[in-house]
Amino acid sequence: MNILKNITPTVIALCLSFSTLFINAQDRKMGVVDDDVKMIVKRVDGLEEYSSTIDLNDNRKQLLMAGQNYQTNYGIYASIKIGASSLGSNYKTLKNVEFEIVNYKPTYFIGIDSIVVAESRTKNGLTFKIYTRALSDTNTYTLNETTLKNIHFENGSYLHSERYLNPMFPKKDNAGNVIFDSDGRVSCEPDNRKAFDFEFFYKDGRHVVRKEDYDQEKENPQTYMNEIASTLPGKRCFHSFNKVMF
């Protein structure tokens, strides 16, 4: 795991952006993370134009990002508990984060499948990767102190979040594992005869075609504490930046 020392300013757009079936973070079984290794998110300038603010002294559910899928408008909120940092008074560590998704005008209710902590795409910051799915039964998710171990935020740094959309009806083998197509995407059904997955498929009568994968960028993110997160298609207007204050 790289030690994050700096965050380079980037151009940002704050966009109006299964039950866990196959996205759960899993340990690599490659040894124990050193307790002395720290993920440090430093303060930078230049990200202010399109960003929001998270007050770490306030344990209310604060808005991380907003999104729209399946003609459903929703917001993803987080209640964050912090602790003192070994780096000094200008830093805080994360103790617990409770996420909740709120569906405002739902066609299908969208839930949270999984959330993992990862490096940002350019490996210069911290990202919450939030995996969502329509018809999920879960609208909350919690990251505890073990998962968040040794993450240190400098006052005025930025928390980055990315939202990924999973298909409604993935195909699974006899062991219950999800099946992947040759192009790396999750093999999935267009419907369950009650609901149609129109984010992933087109339908005109009997003619059903899976949509293109518009997310062509390739990434192999290094996740915090060597967790593995599947990178799936479906993300649209999917990320946000929140300035950390305490």
Side-chain angles (χ1 to χ4, degrees), residues 95-124:
K95 295 293 186 181
N96 182 274
V97 184
E98 296 180 0
F99 298 86
E100 182 176 353
I101 188 168
V102 178
N103 290 261
Y104 294 112
K105 285 182 169 288
T107 299
Y108 300 142
F109 282 86
I110 297 174
I112 299 175
D113 280 347
S114 181
I115 300 174
V116 297
V117 181
E119 291 179 353
S120 61
R121 294 178 177 214
T122 54
K123 299 186 182 298
N124 60 10

Side-chain angles (χ1 to χ4, degrees), residues 3-178:
I3 300 176
L4 305 182
K5 294 295 184 182
N6 296 285
I7 297 178
T8 303
T10 57
V11 178
I12 299 164
L14 178 62
C15 302
L16 281 179
S17 17
F18 76 110
S19 55
T20 303
L21 295 176
F22 57 91
I23 294 300
N24 282 337
Q26 300 178 22
D27 292 332
R28 285 184 182 271
K29 310 297 184 185
M30 292 177 62
V32 178
V33 175
D34 190 335
D35 287 348
D36 294 329
V37 175
K38 297 178 175 63
M39 176 179 283
I40 303 172
V41 184
K42 299 285 289 182
R43 178 175 179 170
V44 296
D45 295 317
L47 305 181
E48 292 87 356
E49 186 173 0
Y50 294 101
S51 63
S52 185
T53 303
I54 295 289
D55 183 356
L56 295 188
N57 288 319
D58 193 334
N59 61 5
R60 292 176 304 130
K61 286 187 170 64
Q62 300 180 70
L63 181 65
L64 282 182
M65 66 193 313
Q68 182 176 0
N69 297 102
Y70 301 99
Q71 301 173 5
T72 294
N73 298 308
Y74 57 88
I76 299 175
Y77 293 80
S79 175
I80 303 175
K81 294 181 180 179
I82 60 173
S85 169
S86 59
L87 300 179
S89 60
N90 203 40
Y91 292 83
K92 296 293 182 183
T93 61
L94 300 181
K95 295 293 186 181
N96 182 274
V97 184
E98 296 180 0
F99 298 86
E100 182 176 353
I101 188 168
V102 178
N103 290 261
Y104 294 112
K105 285 182 169 288
T107 299
Y108 300 142
F109 282 86
I110 297 174
I112 299 175
D113 280 347
S114 181
I115 300 174
V116 297
V117 181
E119 291 179 353
S120 61
R121 294 178 177 214
T122 54
K123 299 186 182 298
N124 60 10
L126 176 70
T127 297
F128 284 151
K129 290 182 171 287
I130 304 171
Y131 294 87
T132 62
R133 183 176 58 89
L135 304 186
S136 169
D137 294 325
T138 303
N139 64 352
T140 61
Y141 197 91
T142 299
L143 296 177
N144 58 29
E145 189 171 357
T146 300
T147 305
L148 301 169
K149 188 175 183 180
N150 261 333
I151 297 175
H152 300 257
F153 278 90
E154 185 177 14
N155 196 4
S157 59
Y158 281 81
L159 172 61
H160 179 219
S161 301
E162 292 182 349
R163 188 265 308 148
Y164 294 83
L165 182 66
N166 297 333
M168 287 186 187
F169 311 114
K171 295 179 181 178
K172 295 183 290 183
D173 60 23
N174 293 334
N177 299 313
V178 70

